[in-house]
Every structure is written in structure tokens, then in C-alpha cells.
């Protein structure tokens, strides 16, 4: 009626005076609250497990009374003109008439007189070259013809639409009864629940509303294909909104204008169109999404595009990415089964990726368990479980294997896998046919165990472990415990030494161990260069079928077939000519040529052919020395690099002053050549490579000038100047990398190679600065230990693992390593207040949420001065605080711990010392952004995360008070995974950080998390029973992205597992990452006597771990490394208990800490716990710290 229309117009927003009865569609002028805006449905709703039920049941509360609505629920039989619906009092019959009225003629078919929305061709844009192939396989788009534009709504039509959708201030049926701020959210209103029994509710206010989906309600009452007026109005409204992509407009218009046989047919077109606009590449790109995948994580978060995930128990794929101010980024994903889309925040994305990875592991495990090889003649499936087992790198023939000989002590030793065609003879003369299906034949290279029996027969044997044959045959059972990947590509002395440290073998074995790797690398290199790998590329099914026919294992078919001549080269003679380990010089930090050249078997074979066998020489072949510095180029073919230079008393060559400071003393010929080529052939005034050269020469000139006047400065000025020039080195290192983005890289030159050589050049200048400008007690050869007595103010409860005496015990251990005694091992006993202010006011708020900091500070402030052992991290229900307790001084202690780590970063980067150990508590690597991060049951003794805070401080720009470093690596060897550190630094990929954790655990222990629950049933306590899993849970079982390397080492951490992981996984990852600083989260709770009982390492093993980490630092960042104390609880009781009547002899079992134990410190240990700690008198936490600091001292000499 006219009254109804007038009232609707009055309630609707006023029309633009410049429009002809057309509503301004830029945005609905409704009062949208903040809550409503936040809940905007920009993407499709999450998939529900009951999503197959498309609509709710219509209310059973509608009776047959003539005063109630008809039970059809989609229409009403009685008018109620006074009922408030939408923004105007429209009756139920009026709404039904609206939604069933014929659609306007302007939207039914294209008209040649009206401009159409279409391209010149009738096909959709070609995105095949942009979108990821895996996405293109799923998303199939039909071509769209030209369409006619849809008219915008008049004020009356707008009022009708709002009444039908029940949107407006008078329709408070739910929180969603309002327009959305974006076109996508408004388009999804087609699925909005609308109430269909309003008349009944007026008479029965307590009755339950009957709701159905708006689209279903409209369609169920439509008389024909053109009767979906309610949906047509909604699509026209969205079509004319500001910001609606052009492709989305075309899709919506086409759904209304294409011919349809019925209302159901038309509804199907509309629903398909609404679905398509959510995943169509053109729509996404026009709406601001990135649809093109980048190749590496460093190029951006679009790296995840095309990746499969699991969400709401359904398989999905990432199809687009967009930056977001609130979350940092949003990823759009689509379910594979129906292309329904949804958006993911960074944390949700990582959870979805992890679920996918875990699901694939489970499926792989199931496939391996149930998938049998082709039926063998005998019909046996006994060895089906290991039939699919393989080893990475088997195509090169070299692996690590555990010998069956008991004298080998179960170590993993380099071995060559024999191909099945090499014969069936074995060391024992043969094996049973059936067993051969699960066995492989190997040849151990330079074994040490076969010479021990001969040593007694040879008098004055210099090297008894090298007396046995150079090769030994063996039959090895196929399993993941007996066979592992061979980790080395080249012979690096430091890497070989590092791996040997964890084998617990006599030092005399090292010579044989080195020879075994020389042979392994030689054979591996030969296989890569000369042996065809066609046989290794066969499918698994083909290998399984062949292996089954010949009753062998697939590994024996994938290994290469070495020619007999390659296996009979006089290796023993060749090895005898190579330098013995005793001839090698001590460790240096030269990184120009970090590998001994491999024995070139192919060159040796060719030398035995004419004309060389007649004494005639071939034309000389120039060796590629483009990446080597001049010193390295002087070396002969088999001459080792500086790490392997024999100690020979030769007077150093006197070089001229100018030559010492020339650019090619720091930059390789490769980099100098790039600079020269670019400067001579580039006429641009600004060029990235030219700028890099200018930076390098300016820095060298400044260092040269400073070195000439440095000795005339006082001690304080020398320290300041040293810090200044070193920080400039690292800043210029980062600026140079950035400037390369503006340079023209010569054809055929790798950008990655330029960056790598640039980093090496800057680090050489850094090392020259340290060498030239160091003074007594400052700079080179200096190790520092930082502690602070305020850490003792954190007092836990009696019986806690984390006791205050850990700090005095750590100081005593550091003293035994020379701290405070050796002039080159400094003991710093107080952290200056400025560092505390930076920690509390600047750094900690970056790592932890302010709500967490405020809660912790308030909790601690409420503790009485004499009260101890108070739960600090319990939640509102009192849970989660049973292991993290403290006292009034806990907050200050935690601040001091962070401040100490910041000071350590300053000292190491600023050149005051080479490395630092921070003896502070409470520990921190379980403290995340907020309380109990990554679903952990507690905070695991931790309050603030010192290691993570130091990393954030180091990467903060210098203009903001930080050190301005580009990349920091954190290596955590505590027995527990550092969930807090990962949560703070790497919730999503961040190119600034690499977090590495070696810890007890694994999916086979903690279980597989492929569900969507919060894992409430999987609540692990620190030091809980084995069957409960290992704290903090599953978060450390997998690596969610490129910036995290989690390496679970099983139920108990062993030296062999730790060493293998460090050499084969951690070292390569760190070298690729190339950090500017390495931080160690040093936990000693993997010690064999630690009360947690989760480790098998000795104190000497922790020293080895430290040395290997220092070698990584020397290789990548001139040795810049420091550690922060985390776990380690094997401290025997230090004081007798007053309430026990114990014999005087008991005092003999107390740990004597002397003056390092404060007079007012109590060590109240329950008797049962005291007995558990008694075994630590032999070796425990104190000895671990001693070896850790000794490792630092051993590695603090850089030249």
C-alpha cells in the first residue's frame, strides 16, 4: 500500500538529491556497531560436521488455530499489518508477496541496447600462468558470456529487501541483524536465518522462533524461474556496492540472466555464482588478494599458496593471501570437496598445516602397514612392513649403518650398499633365502674394529685401529635404527670432529674415522658425477615388484652399480699420502675453503689411460677458483684448506701495507669481478652492486684509519670505537643485501652466490677489526660469564626441581672452567640498571602480551615478603601453577634474567668478548606470548623468555635502540621443547629467526594430533610419567614452517642421537640460514643423572654440543654466540635439614659450594628427593656447566 511504502521510505536512508529515485549504493547508512563490524562474514562460514543438513526443521510449534500462521512456514495465511518487521511494518503476506513476485524485466535477459559487461572475447581471463597448478586442477571455471548491468535499488526496493531479510534496528532476532561493511559479507546474507512464524510469536511470546535460510524460504514460494525477487534484490544491492570487483559483478549478473527452467534451477545458478565469487582468481585479485605463489618463504607469505591443509576434519587448499593490519596476514582456503572458502589467521594456518602433516604421516603409516608388495611365489608377507623402507641418498650408494660386529660398539659407520648384481656371497658365507628380503649387503669403509685383534700381534703398533683391512662385508637388517642417511657432501674437519665427539670411541679411532669419510665422500662424489641414476628413478611399485621376484630388498636395487675399476683403486696407498689428523693445525675461523678436496676417483681412472700412462700430459685444465680468496688459490690439488694445513715452521711472508688493505683481501675474486664488470659496463648513477662496492671500500678504509690511531686511545675509548666499527660492519652487511635488490645482476650469475660472498666479505672485515683492535681483557680470546645475585630472589617451594641453589652451583661450575680466575674468562656479577630498564620497558612487551605481564606483575606484588612457593601461573580456575611457583622477588629475578641476555648480546656483537654464558634464573623457554603457550599444561618453571627477548633485541633496528641484526638463530638443547620460544619468535614464518630444538619426544610418544580439539585430554606435566607423554606436548613433534627445525630424539636423549642430529640436520640448516648471531638455550636436564630421568648425556657430551655450536658460529658469523641457562636440576643437596635426625656422615654427602652459596640461602630438599640427587655427586649439573663454559673457552680464539 502507499502507506506502507511511505513508511518504508521514511525509515530507509534518505536518497541522494542528485539521484533519480536511486539509492546511493556506496554503503548502507545503517548504524553498525563495532561488534557487528568485527563479526563481518567476509568469507564462508566454517564447515560444520552436520553441514549435509542444509536447513533447520520448520517449527513444530505452529498449530492449526485460525489465529496462528499456516504450518507451511514459508507463507502466512493471515495479515498482521501492525507487526514490526524490518524497518517498516510489513505483514507476513506482504513479505511473502515480495519474495514470490516476478523479478524485474531489467535483470532477466541481456539487451543489445544496454552496454554489456564483458571482454571482447567471451572467455574468462586466463590465470593458468599465475595460479598454482594444484589449484588449477581443482578450480574449473566456465566461460561467461556478455551480460547486462544490474540496476541499483530504489528506496522502496531497499526497504522491501530489508523487510524480507529482517534487517534493521527493530529486528533483534540475532546479533547478525545488520548490514555488513563489505560486499562479501552482504552477499552471504542469502543464507541468513529468517523467522517465519512472527504472527505466532506475537500471541505466544515464550514460543521458539521457527527459522529457515533466506534463500530456501524465497525459493520454496517462488512460482517460476523468474520468481526469486528476494534474491534478485540482494544480488542487485551487492552488485552496486562500492568495492564490488568487476568480475564478481559479471558472475552475479550472469546468474540472474542465464535461462533457467524452474525456480530451483535459478536458485542453483545463484548459489553457484555466490560460491564462485569466493574462489574465482579474477575476483580475488581484483579484491586485493595475492593469487600468485612465490618460490621461497623469504619472498613473502604467498609462499603457502597451493599448500594442502586440514581444517574442520576436511581437506582444503590455500588459494590466496592478503596482508592484514590486525593479524599480519590472512590466507584464503577452499575445501577440496566443494570449494567452499574460509579465511585463516596465522595461528590457524600453522595449526591446519600441522594437522595435514600429521594426517599424511598417519596415512603413510597405515599404507605401509597394510600395503603388501606384489604376491611372491611363496605367498609370504612376513617382511611387508619394511619392504617400503628407504634411506635418503641411497641412489648415491653411501649410507650410515650399524655393524653386526660387537666390537663396533653399535656405532653408525660409513658404508657402501652393494647392488644385487654384485653377487650373493656374504661375510658369513650366505643367508637364508627368506631372510634376504629384509637384509642388505654393505661394505663398511675403513672399519676400526677389525684391527684391534691384530694389534696384539704387531709390536709397537702406532695406530692399532688402522691395522685391519680397509673394507669389510656385512649383512644388515633393514630398519630405521640400523640404517641412516649419510650426512656429508665434503670433508670438513670440524664437522667430522663434531660427529666423532658423540660416538664415545677412543681418540685413537679418529684417524680411521676420518679415512672412512674420505672414502665415503669419494665414492659418493663418483656416483653423482659418473654413474647413471636411471635405476634410482623407478617407481616404488616397480622396485617392490623387482625385489620380490629376486627375493631381495628394494635398497639393493636403488643403489648404484659401481664399476669394478672404481672399487679397486689403490685407496690404501692414497690414504697413506693424505695428512694424518695429528698434522692438522688447530682450529681457525677461515671460511674461504671449508673442505678438504674429495679424492677424485674418476680422475685417477682417467690417469691410467693413454696418453698419461706414457708420461704425456693432457692440456692443462684450469680449476675454477672464482669463489676462492688468493690464499686458497695457492693450494695444490689435494692440499687442505686452513682447517687442515699441516703445522710447518715457515716464516710468514711480509706483505706490503697496501696489499694488506686491498679489497681482494676481503672479497673473493668472484665478488671483485662482479664489481669490476658492473662498474665498467653500467652507466646508471645508482646501482645496487656499485653501492655494495662503495660500502665495502669505505668500511675497509675506515677500519684501516682506525687501526692506525687506535693504540693512542684510552681503554674506554678503545672499547667504544671497537663496538662502533663492529656494529657498522654488521649494519653494512645488511644494507648491502638490500641494495642488491636495486642492482642489475649479470646474466648467468646467481643472486644467492653474490649474497653469500658479500656476507663472507663483511665477516672477514669484522674478524680483521677484532684482530687488530682487541686489547687485554677486551675482544678476542675472551669468554664471559654473567650472573646477578638478584636472581636468587626467586624462591620456589620445597621439593621443586627448580631450586635457588642452581645459580651458586652454576657459578661454581664456571669457576672450575676458569671464570674469575683466568684473565681471559671474565665473571660479571651484576647487570647494570639501564639494561633492566630496556628489558622491562622495551623488550619484554615485544615478546609477551601486556595482559600476561600485568597479570604476572600483579600476582607477584600481592605476595607477602616472607612468603615463598606461591603459584604464579595458575589460571582463574587454579590450574597450571603447580610447577611454576615463586616469591616476592620473582618478578625482579625474571627481569634481571632478560637484562643479562641483552647485555650478553651487546657484549658479543660489540666485540667485548667472543662468547658468553648467562647463569640466570628462572628459566624462560616455556614462557610464550601469553600464559601456557601452545596448549601446554603449565609454564614449566618459566616467567619471561630471556633467549627470545635477546633475539628480539638483536633484530630491533638501531634507530629503535636495538642492534640492527638481520638474522638470529636460537638452538635449544634442553630436554624439553621450547614451546614459548617458538610461540614468540616463530608462530608463523619470520625470515629474521631460525628456531632449532633438540629434545625428548616424538609423535610415537606424544601421539598424533589430527583432531580439532584443544587436546584437553592430553595434559602433560614437566617430569610427568612416561606413559603420559613428554611436556609440553605435541608442539615439538613437527616443524610447522621453514623457520622452525624441531628434532624430537625419542623417549630418552642419547649422545648418538644428539650428535647425528647436530651434524646431519642442524649444521646444514644453520649454514643455509647464515645467522648474524647464535643464541643457545642451554638446558642440562638431558644429563644421565638429572632427576627428570629423560637423558643419557654426560657432562663431556654437553661440552661437545657447545663446541659444535661454536663451529657453526665460526662458519657463519665470526663466532658470535652466547648461551642462556634453561633447565638442569641435578644439584645435590647443599645444606642439612634441621628437622631430621641424621648421622654426622650425612654432611659428607652435601655439595660444597663455598663462598658461592649465599649465607641466607636455604636448600630445603625432602629426604626422598635428596636420595635421588645423591647420584649427582659423581657428575651432575655443576659438571655440565663446567664443560659448557670450557667449550666456550676452547672456541674463543679467532684470528
Amino acid at each position: 500500500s502507499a502507506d506502507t511504502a511511505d513508511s518504508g521510505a521514511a525509515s530507509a536512508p534518505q536518497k541522494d538529491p542528485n539521484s533519480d529515485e536511486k539509492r546511493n549504493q556506496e554503503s548502507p547508512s545503517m548504524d553498525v556497531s563495532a561488534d557487528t563490524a568485527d563479526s563481518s562474514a567476509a568469507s564462508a562460514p566454517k564447515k560444520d560436521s552436520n553441514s549435509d543438513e542444509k536447513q533447520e526443521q520448520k517449527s513444530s510449534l505452529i498449530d492449526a488455530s485460525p489465529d496462528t500462521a499456516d504450518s507451511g512456514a514459508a507463507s502466512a495465511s493471515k495479515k498482521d499489518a501492525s507487526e514490526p518487521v524490518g524497518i517498516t511494518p510489513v505483514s507476513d503476506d506482504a513479505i511473502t508477496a515480495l519474495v514470490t513476485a516476478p523479478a524485474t524485466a531489467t535483470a532477466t535477459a541481456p539487451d543489445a541496447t544496454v552496454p554489456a559487461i564483458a571482454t571482447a572475447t567471451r572467455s574468462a581471463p586466463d590465470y593458468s600462468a599465475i595460479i598454482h597448478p594444484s589449484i588449477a586442477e581443482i578450480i574449473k571455471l566456465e566461460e561467461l558470456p556478455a551480460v547486462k548491468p544490474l540496476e541499483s535499488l530504489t528506496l522502496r526496493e531497499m526497504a522491501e529487501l530489508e523487510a524480507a531479510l529482517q534487517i534493521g534496528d527493530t529486528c533483534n532476532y540475532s546479533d547478525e541483524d545488520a548490514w555488513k561493511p563489505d560486499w562479501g559479507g552482504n552477499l552471504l546474507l542469502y543464507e541468513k536465518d529468517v523467522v517465519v512464524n512472527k504472527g505466532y510469536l506475537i500471541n505466544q511470546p515464550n514460543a521458539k522462533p521457527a527459522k529457515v535460510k533466506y534463500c530456501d524460504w524465497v525459493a520454496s514460494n517462488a512460482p517460476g524461474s523468474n520468481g526469486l525477487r528476494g534474491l534478485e534484490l540482494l544480488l542487485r544491492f551487492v552488485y552496486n556496492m562500492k568495492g564490488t570487483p568487476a568480475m564478481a559483478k559479471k558472475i552475479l549478473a550472469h546468474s540472474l540472466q542465464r535461462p533457467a527452467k524452474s525456480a530451483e534451477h535459478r536458485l542453483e545458478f545463484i548459489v553457484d555464482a555466490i560460491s564462485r565469487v569466493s574462489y574465482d582468481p579474477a575476483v580475488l585479485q581484483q579484491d586485493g588478494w595475492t593469487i600468485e605463489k612465490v618460490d621461497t618463504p623469504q619472498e613473502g607469505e604467498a609462499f603457502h599458496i597451493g599448500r594442502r591443509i586440514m581444517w574442520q576434519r576436511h581437506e582444503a587448499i590455500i588459494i590466496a593471501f592478503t596482508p592484514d593490519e590486525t593479524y599480519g596476514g590472512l590466507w584464503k582456503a577452499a575445501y577440496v570437496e566443494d570449494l567452499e572458502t574460509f579465511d585463516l589467521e596465522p595461528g590457524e594456518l600453522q595449526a591446519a598445516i600441522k594437522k595435514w602433516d600429521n594426517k599424511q604421516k598417519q596415512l603413510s603409516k597405515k599404507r605401509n602397514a597394510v600395503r603388501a608388495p606384489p604376491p611372491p611365489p611363496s605367498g609370504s608377507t612376513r617382511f611387508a612392513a619394511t619392504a617400503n623402507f628407504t634411506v635418503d641418498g641411497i641412489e648415491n650408494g653411501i649410507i650410515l649403518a650399524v655393524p653386526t660386529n660387537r666390537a663396533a660398539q653399535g656405532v653408525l659407520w660409513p658404508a657402501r650398499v652393494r647392488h644385487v648384481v654384485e653377487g650373493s656371497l656374504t661375510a658369513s658365507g650366505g643367508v637364508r633365502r627368506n631372510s634376504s628380503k629384509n637384509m642388505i649387503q654393505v661394505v663398511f669403509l675403513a672399519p676400526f674394529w677389525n684391527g684391534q685383534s691384530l694389534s696384539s700381534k704387531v709390536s709397537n703398533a702406532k695406530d692399532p685401529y688402522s691395522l685391519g683391512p680397509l673394507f669389510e662385508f656385512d649383512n644388515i637388517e633393514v630398519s630405521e635404527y640400523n640404517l641412516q642417511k649419510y650426512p656429508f657432501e665434503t670433508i670438513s674437519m670440524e664437522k667430522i670432529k663434531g660427529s666423532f665427539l658423540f660416538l664415545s670411541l677412543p681418540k685413537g679411532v679418529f684417524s680411521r674415522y676420518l679415512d672412512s669419510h674420505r672414502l665415503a665422500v669419494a665414492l659418493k662424489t663418483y656416483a653423482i658425477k659418473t654413474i647413471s641414476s636411471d635405476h634410482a628413478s623407478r617407481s616404488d611399485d616397480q622396485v617392490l615388484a623387482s625385489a620380490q621376484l629376486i627375493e631381495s630388498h628394494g635398497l639393493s636395487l636403488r643403489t648404484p652399480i659401481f664399476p669394478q675399476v672404481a672399487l679397486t683403486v689403490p685407496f690404501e696407498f692414497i690414504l697413506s699420502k693424505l695428512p694424518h689428523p695429528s698434522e692438522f693445525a688447530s682450529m681457525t675461523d677461515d671460511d674461504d675453503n671449508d673442505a678438504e678436496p674429495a679424492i677424485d676417483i674418476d680422475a685417477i681412472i682417467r690417469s691410467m689411460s693413454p696418453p698419461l700412462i706414457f708420461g704425456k700430459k693432457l692440456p692443462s685444465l684450469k680449476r675454477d677458483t672464482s669463489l676462492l680468496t688468493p690464499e686458497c688459490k695457492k693450494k695444490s690439488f689435494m692440499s687442505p684448506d686452513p682447517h687442515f694445513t699441516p703445522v710447518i715452521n715457515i716464516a710468514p711472508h711480509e706483505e706490503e701495507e697496501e696489499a694488506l688493505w686491498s679489497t681482494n683481501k676481503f672479497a673473493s675474486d668472484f665478488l671483485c669481478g662482479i664489481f669490476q664488470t658492473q662498474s665498467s659496463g653500467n652507466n646508471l648513477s645508482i646501482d645496487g652492486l656499485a653501492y655494495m662496492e662503495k660500502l665495502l671500500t669505505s668500511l675497509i678504509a675506515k677500519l684501516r684509519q682506525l687501526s692506525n690511531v687506535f693504540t693512542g686511545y684510552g681503554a674506554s675509548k678503545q672499547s667504544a670505537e671497537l663496538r662502533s666499527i663492529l656494529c657498522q660492519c654488521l649494519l653494512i652487511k645488511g644494507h648491502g643485501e638490500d641494495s642488491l635488490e636495486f642492482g642489475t645482476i649479470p646474466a648467468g650469475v646467481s643472486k644467492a652466490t653474490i649474497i653469500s660472498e658479500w656476507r663472507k666479505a663483511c665477516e672477514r672485515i669484522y674478524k680483521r677489526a677484532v684482530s687488530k683492535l682487541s686489547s687485554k681483557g677486551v675482544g678476542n680470546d675472551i669468554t664471559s660469564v654473567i650472573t646477578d645475585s638478584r636472581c636468587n630472589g626467586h624462591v620456589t617451594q620445597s621439593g621443586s626441581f627448580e631450586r635457588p641453589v642452581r645459580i651458586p652451583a652454576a657459578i661454581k661450575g664456571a669457576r672450575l672452567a676458569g671464570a674469575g680466575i683466568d684473565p681471559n674468562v671474565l665473571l660479571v656479577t651484576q647487570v647494570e640498571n639501564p639494561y633492566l630498564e630496556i628489558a622491562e620497558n622495551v623488550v619484554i612487551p615485544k615478546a609477551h602480551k601486556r595482559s600476561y605481564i600485568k597479570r604476572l606483575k600483579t600476582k607477584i606484588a600481592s605476595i607477602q615478603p616472607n612468603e615463598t612457593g606461591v603459584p604464579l601461573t595458575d589460571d582463574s580456575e587454579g590450574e597450571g601453577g603447580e610447577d611454576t611457583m615463586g616469591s616476592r622477588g620473582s618478578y625482579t629475578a625474571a627481569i634481571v634474567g632478560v637484562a643479562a641476555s641483552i647485555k650478553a648480546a651487546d657484549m658479543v656483537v660489540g666485540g667485548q668478548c667472543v662468547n658468553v654464558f648467562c647463569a640466570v634464573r628462572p628459566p624462560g623457554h616455556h614462557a610464550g606470548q601469553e600464559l601456557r603457550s601452545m596448549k601446554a599444561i603449565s609454564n614449566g618453571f618459566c616467567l619471561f623468555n630471556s633467549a627470545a627477548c635477546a633475539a628480539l633485541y638483536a633484530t630491533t633496528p638501531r634507530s629503535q635502540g636495538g642492534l640492527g641484526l638481520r638474522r638470529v638463530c636460537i638452538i635449544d638443547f634442553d630436554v624439553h621443547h621450547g614451546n614459548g620460544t617458538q610461540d614468540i619468535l616463530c608462530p608463523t614464518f619470520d625470515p629474521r629467526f631460525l628456531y632449532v630444538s633438540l629434545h625428548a619426544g616424538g609423535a610415537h610418544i606424544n601421539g598424533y594430533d589430527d583432531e580439532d580439539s584443544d587436546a584437553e585430554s592430553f595434559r602433560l606435566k614437566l617430569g610427568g610419567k612416561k606413559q603420559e607423554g613428554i611436556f609440553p606436548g605435541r608442539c615439538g613433534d613437527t616443524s610447522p614452517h621453514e623457520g622452525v627445525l624441531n628434532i624430537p630424539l625419542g623417549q630418552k636423549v642419547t649422545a648418538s642421537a644428539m650428535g647425528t642430529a647436530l651434524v646431519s640436520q642442524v649444521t646444514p640448516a644453520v649454514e643455509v640460514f647464515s645467522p648474524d648471531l647464535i643464541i643457545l638455550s642451554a638446558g642440562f636436564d638431558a644429563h644421565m643423572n638429572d632427576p627428570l630421568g629423560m637423558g643419557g648425556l654426560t657432562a663431556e657430551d654437553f661440552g661437545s654440543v657447545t663446541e659444535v655450536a661454536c663451529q657453526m658460529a665460526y662458519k657463519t658469523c665470526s663466532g658470535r654466540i652466547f648461551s642462556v641457562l634453561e633447565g638442569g636440576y641435578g644439584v645435590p643437596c647443599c645444606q642439612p635439614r634441621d628437622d631430621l635426625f641424621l648421622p654426622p656422615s650425612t654432611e659428607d654427602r652435601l655439595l660444597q659450594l663455598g663462598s658461592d652459596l649465599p649465607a641466607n640461602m636455604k636448600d630445603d630438599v625432602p629426604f626422598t628427593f635428596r636420595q635421588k640427587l645423591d647420584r649427582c655427586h659423581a657428575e651432575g649439573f655443576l659438571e655440565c656447566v663446567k664443560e659448557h663454559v670450557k667449550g666456550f673457552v676452547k672456541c674463543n680464539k679467532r684470528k
Side-chain angles (χ1 to χ4, degrees), residues 357-503:
D357 292 340
N358 288 339
K359 191 70 173 180
Q360 297 312 301
K361 289 181 180 179
Q362 286 184 299
L363 293 175
S364 178
K365 186 176 180 181
K366 292 178 181 178
R367 284 195 297 265
N368 292 341
V370 302
R371 180 183 178 184
S378 60
S380 172
T381 59
R382 177 184 171 190
F383 303 105
T386 59
N388 292 308
F389 180 84
T390 188
V391 179
D392 291 341
I394 185 62
E395 63 276 6
N396 300 323
I398 305 300
I399 62 171
L400 293 177
V402 177
T404 57
N405 193 319
R406 293 185 179 180
Q409 304 178 33
V411 299
L412 286 164
W413 199 264
R416 181 181 70 85
V417 180
R418 301 185 74 196
H419 196 276
V420 68
V421 301
E422 292 187 52
S424 59
L425 292 179
T426 67
S428 59
V431 293
R432 294 176 59 186
R433 291 184 63 193
N434 285 340
S435 298
S436 65
K437 299 176 184 178
N438 201 42
M439 305 286 285
I440 61 172
Q441 297 179 15
V442 303
V443 180
F444 283 105
L445 310 175
F448 72 92
W449 55 88
N450 58 8
Q452 299 178 61
S453 60
L454 299 176
S455 61
S456 60
K457 302 178 182 179
V458 180
S459 60
N460 300 323
K462 182 180 179 180
D463 194 352
Y465 298 102
S466 300
L467 295 177
L470 200 57
F471 304 103
E472 180 175 289
F473 293 92
D474 205 344
N475 292 295
I476 307 298
E477 183 178 358
V478 174
S479 75
E480 61 180 330
Y481 304 103
N482 292 335
L483 308 175
Q484 291 188 17
K485 174 186 176 181
Y486 183 74
F488 300 120
E489 301 293 334
T490 57
I491 298 296
S492 168
M493 175 59 75
E494 299 306 330
K495 291 181 181 179
I496 299 295
K497 282 183 177 178
S499 63
F500 182 76
L501 289 174
F502 297 95
L503 298 181

Side-chain angles (χ1 to χ4, degrees), residues 782-826:
I782 302 298
T783 293
S784 295
V785 176
I786 301 177
T787 188
D788 196 300
S789 60
R790 285 171 286 187
C791 291
N792 296 330
H794 174 62
V795 183
T796 55
Q797 69 173 10
S798 174
S800 173
F801 285 89
E802 211 286 301
R803 295 147 56 210
V805 294
R806 294 177 68 235
I807 294 298
I811 297 174
K812 179 66 176 290
R815 288 189 190 276
L816 293 175
I821 303 172
D822 187 330
N824 288 340
V825 186
L826 308 180

